[in-house]
Amino acid sequence: MTRSLLRWSPLAPATVVLLLFLAGPIGYCVVIAFTDTQLTGQESASFVGLANFRHAFGDAGFRNAVVLTLVFTVLSSLVGQNTLGLALAGLMRRASRPVRAVTGAVVITAWVIPEIVAGFLLYSFFERRGTLNAVLEWLHLPTQNWLFTLPIVAVSFANVWRGTAFSMLVYSAALSEVPQEVTESAEVDGAGGLRRLWYITLPMIRRSIGTNLMLNTLQTLSVFGLIWAMTRGGPGSRSQTLPVFMYDQAFMKSLIGYGTAVALLLLVVGALFSAVCLRLMREEV
Amino acid sequence: MARPARSARSLLTRPGLPRALRQAPRRGYRHRIAADAGLLLTAVAFAVPLAWLVLSSLDTEATLRVRLPASPGLDNFSAVLTDEITFTPMLNSLLLCGGATLITVVCAAPAAYPLSRFRARFSRPYLLTILFATCLPITAVMVPVYGLFVQVNLIDTRYGTALFLAAAQLPFAIWLMKNFMDGVPKALEEAAWTDGASWLQTLWRVILPLMGPGLTVVTIYTFIMMWGNFFVPFMLLLSPEQLPASVTIFTFFGNYGAIAFGELAAFSLLYSTPVILLYILVSRRLGGGFALGGAVKG
């Protein structure tokens, strides 16, 4: 018994930190979400049961945030990062070496630079006086105040810019593991590029696709700094995804209890995705 | 890395780009031209915001548009290279992220040891929990963490913030560390045991030196993730003199009436450089040998 305790004792520091600073807040989150805690001017918070959740589902602001989060996730993660990442990985296998190196370096740099710098760079790109409109003017196309007319689309593009490198790397690795004999024999049998992609390559990397989609979605669900730097959730609340809405309710409106309830919902959705992801990766452990 | 900031954390564990790059099959010439064209087009689109960063930092009359500097010079850099704007926030970032990285590595390295070496009924559930936590959206818990930190008086303290950053990064660090440790052969360690070494001595003298590159990767990667993290210090630190660069860049951006874009670009460049260099170091050092069978498996 002592021997086994001693053996496992190295786990202790990490477990303590994880319990205190990660499991603790999550547990606290579950408790606070059922109270009416406010930031200021309150003697004591009381237990209000499901009131915060009922309030959330009846709250137009919350529903707006859910819809925007869905739009943001589908546009930037499912469609943008995933498809572009796969396309880049596929193209890289055919392109010449310098082009591969340059493209890889640029796309990865966009991913490595800090979130808030990325937000600032894309703000300058989409801003009314920014580069996108300069390019459009040069092409004699109509310009727009993108961050005002299509804020959620602008932040989605920003997230694609920032996050595609991950999918590209995952798919590069996955494609390099597809045995070449298989693709080549399909080619000999006369299967065109698209058919090979659909019937051979995609089925062979389907586990990577699944995992990548899950991880992208989880990452996208928790984006805050990028949106905050570009639009602060505005104009109005037209780019207010759930994390921004949560922050706004808890700190701008001082409703910690309500903000935490929103956080708990976000956490539950994240946990579901995380569980699916875990199933996909299970054989690893 | 986005975490992401949590973005794409498992990527370093994969045989990444470099290997895939080397193995590219040769197809027809026409295919190659088409692929080159497609990639170059994407590269240009991705490079535009980055070009703005570099060009504007050198332009004393920078605007929001990408253009060659109208009046080139290093004035922007000399304007931001002051204690208040650059050095203090960067030092704060270094203290905060360095401290948090230290906590993470010091906790993760020993934790990975029994998980990698011994089997027990709870080790698999423990690992699965760790992996599960790796994927959780930490952004969601920031409001309760704020509440908790106010309750226990950790708000606006650097060590409290560092501990939370460490906790948020720990699951992935343990996971990554375990995978590196799995690659160290057991025989040497058994020899050390026979000589009467304790687990701590074995870990310190035998295993950690053998997994030097792995340890470096975990350390640097953890540091990169924290350096770019905005939300955690934004929520948990309040006094201006403690704020790291990720937060001061934002106040810089938001508070001035007329934003000096050139100076902001210069500062952004200075702030981004360390992580870019560290990333290059990690990917060079292992030369695409991230083949550790890590978290994302195809």
Side-chain angles (χ1 to χ4, degrees):
Chain A
M1 188 60 208
T2 7
R3 181 158 163 270
S4 119
L5 266 184
L6 206 65
R7 275 186 145 192
W8 294 94
S9 62
L11 268 179
T15 312
V16 168
V17 172
L18 283 174
L19 285 177
L20 284 182
F21 289 93
L22 205 60
I26 292 174
Y28 189 70
C29 181
V30 176
V31 175
I32 294 298
F34 295 94
T35 67
D36 60 356
T37 309
Q38 297 188 4
L39 202 56
T40 48
Q42 194 188 28
E43 290 288 297
S44 65
S46 54
F47 186 74
V48 293
L50 290 172
N52 285 327
F53 297 96
R54 271 200 297 275
H55 176 54
F57 291 110
D59 181 357
F62 175 76
R63 287 199 303 259
N64 171 60
V66 170
V67 171
L68 287 176
T69 307
L70 273 175
V71 173
F72 183 59
T73 311
V74 170
L75 268 187
S76 64
S77 154
L78 293 185
V79 179
Q81 295 177 3
N82 186 54
T83 317
L84 187 59
L86 182 60
L88 289 178
L91 287 176
M92 286 216 168
R93 297 180 60 72
R94 300 177 175 191
S96 54
R97 184 184 287 266
V99 175
R100 264 180 278 156
V102 168
T103 314
V106 171
V107 175
I108 290 177
T109 308
W111 177 60
V112 175
I113 60 170
E115 186 180 19
I116 219 74
V117 174
F120 173 51
L121 292 186
L122 287 143
Y123 168 82
S124 83
F125 182 75
F126 284 108
E127 220 270 347
R128 193 169 46 80
R129 295 156 293 163
T131 307
L132 180 57
N133 279 343
V135 174
L136 291 174
E137 273 168 27
W138 184 66
L139 293 170
H140 296 288
L141 290 169
T143 62
Q144 277 189 67
N145 186 358
W146 299 100
L147 293 171
F148 185 80
T149 50
L150 295 165
I152 193 70
V153 177
V155 294
S156 301
F157 269 99
N159 195 36
V160 172
W161 184 79
R162 185 170 148 70
T164 297
F166 178 67
S167 305
M168 180 183 85
L169 290 167
V170 169
Y171 287 135
S172 287
L175 288 180
S176 73
E177 276 165 24
V178 172
Q180 262 182 47
E181 306 84 66
V182 184
T183 8
E184 272 162 16
S185 62
E187 207 173 349
V188 172
D189 290 345
L194 271 182
R195 284 170 68 103
R196 280 204 307 275
L197 177 72
W198 188 254
Y199 290 107
I200 304 203
T201 314
L202 290 185
M204 290 193 87
I205 62 168
R206 65 178 189 283
R207 272 163 54 84
S208 294
I209 298 177
T211 326
N212 183 48
L213 280 178
M214 288 298 141
L215 289 173
N216 274 344
T217 304
L218 282 162
Q219 196 271 323
T220 304
L221 272 182
S222 58
V223 171
F224 176 84
L226 192 68
I227 297 179
W228 193 250
M230 286 179 74
T231 64
R232 296 208 191 188
S237 55
R238 283 170 37 222
S239 59
Q240 199 173 53
T241 57
L242 279 170
V244 183
F245 177 73
M246 169 192 88
Y247 178 81
D248 183 59
Q249 293 298 317
F251 294 100
M252 300 298 162
K253 308 214 165 50
S254 298
L255 303 169
I256 295 265
Y258 184 46
T260 306
V262 175
L264 187 60
L265 291 170
L266 189 61
L267 202 62
V268 168
V269 173
L272 289 176
F273 274 97
S274 192
V276 174
C277 205
L278 204 59
R279 277 228 66 92
L280 288 168
M281 306 193 286
R282 188 130 192 184
E283 285 152 38
E284 285 284 302
V285 185
Chain B
M1 287 196 209
R3 242 113 133 154
R6 285 163 59 87
S7 111
R9 16 183 42 201
S10 14
L11 164 82
L12 286 179
T13 61
R14 293 297 298 151
L17 190 62
R19 204 180 98 193
L21 287 183
R22 281 203 300 277
Q23 290 186 345
R26 287 273 157 262
R27 286 247 168 69
Y29 182 67
R30 226 156 29 104
H31 272 130
R32 201 170 75 206
I33 298 287
D36 281 357
L39 284 185
L40 281 178
L41 203 67
T42 320
V44 169
F46 269 75
V48 168
L50 295 170
W52 180 85
L53 182 67
V54 177
L55 294 173
S56 301
S57 71
L58 297 170
D59 189 344
T60 48
E61 287 160 25
T63 63
L64 282 167
R65 294 192 172 178
V66 174
R67 56 167 195 186
L68 287 176
S71 47
L74 293 173
D75 296 9
N76 291 325
F77 286 97
S78 47
V80 296
L81 281 174
T82 64
D83 275 349
E84 194 201 355
I85 298 178
T86 301
F87 298 120
T88 309
M90 294 280 256
L91 185 68
N92 287 342
S93 283
L94 193 66
L95 285 173
L96 185 68
C97 305
T101 304
L102 193 71
I103 300 172
T104 309
V105 174
V106 165
C107 290
Y113 180 69
L115 291 173
S116 164
R117 289 327 200 214
F118 312 134
R119 288 279 159 264
R121 217 178 314 152
F122 69 87
S123 61
R124 192 176 147 87
Y126 194 97
L127 278 170
L128 286 174
T129 313
I130 291 285
L131 201 53
F132 176 72
T134 295
C135 297
L136 281 181
I138 294 299
T139 306
V141 297
M142 283 321 294
V143 170
V145 168
Y146 175 88
L148 200 61
F149 269 42
V150 170
Q151 298 264 312
V152 297
N153 253 328
L154 276 175
I155 202 79
D156 201 24
T157 60
R158 218 176 250 143
Y159 66 93
T161 311
L163 276 164
F164 179 72
L165 277 171
Q169 202 56 39
L170 251 179
F172 186 62
I174 295 177
W175 180 253
L176 199 55
M177 198 79 90
K178 179 205 169 266
N179 281 323
F180 279 113
M181 221 173 261
D182 286 346
V184 176
K186 238 179 158 172
L188 289 167
E189 193 182 334
E190 279 160 2
W193 284 338
T194 327
D195 293 341
S198 69
W199 71 265
L200 198 64
Q201 287 168 321
T202 324
L203 180 65
W204 187 251
R205 298 259 167 80
V206 182
I207 299 180
L208 289 183
L210 281 173
M211 55 176 289
L215 204 61
T216 314
V217 168
V218 178
T219 310
I220 293 182
Y221 187 72
T222 304
F223 188 81
I224 292 178
M225 296 305 295
M226 290 170 178
W227 186 263
N229 195 314
F230 163 73
F231 203 22
V232 174
F234 176 66
M235 296 283 287
L236 302 182
L237 292 175
L238 311 170
S239 35
E241 69 278 4
Q242 290 201 63
L243 295 178
S246 58
V247 182
T248 57
I249 186 179
F250 189 72
T251 51
F252 192 2
F253 184 20
N255 288 350
Y256 294 93
I259 306 170
F261 296 112
E263 292 178 17
L264 188 44
F267 179 71
S268 303
L269 202 60
L270 291 171
Y271 166 48
S272 307
T273 307
V275 282
I276 294 176
L277 292 180
L278 284 175
Y279 184 84
I280 294 172
L281 192 72
V282 178
S283 51
R284 280 281 157 79
R285 167 128 201 195
L286 290 192
F290 292 126
L292 309 156
V296 181
K297 183 64 190 175

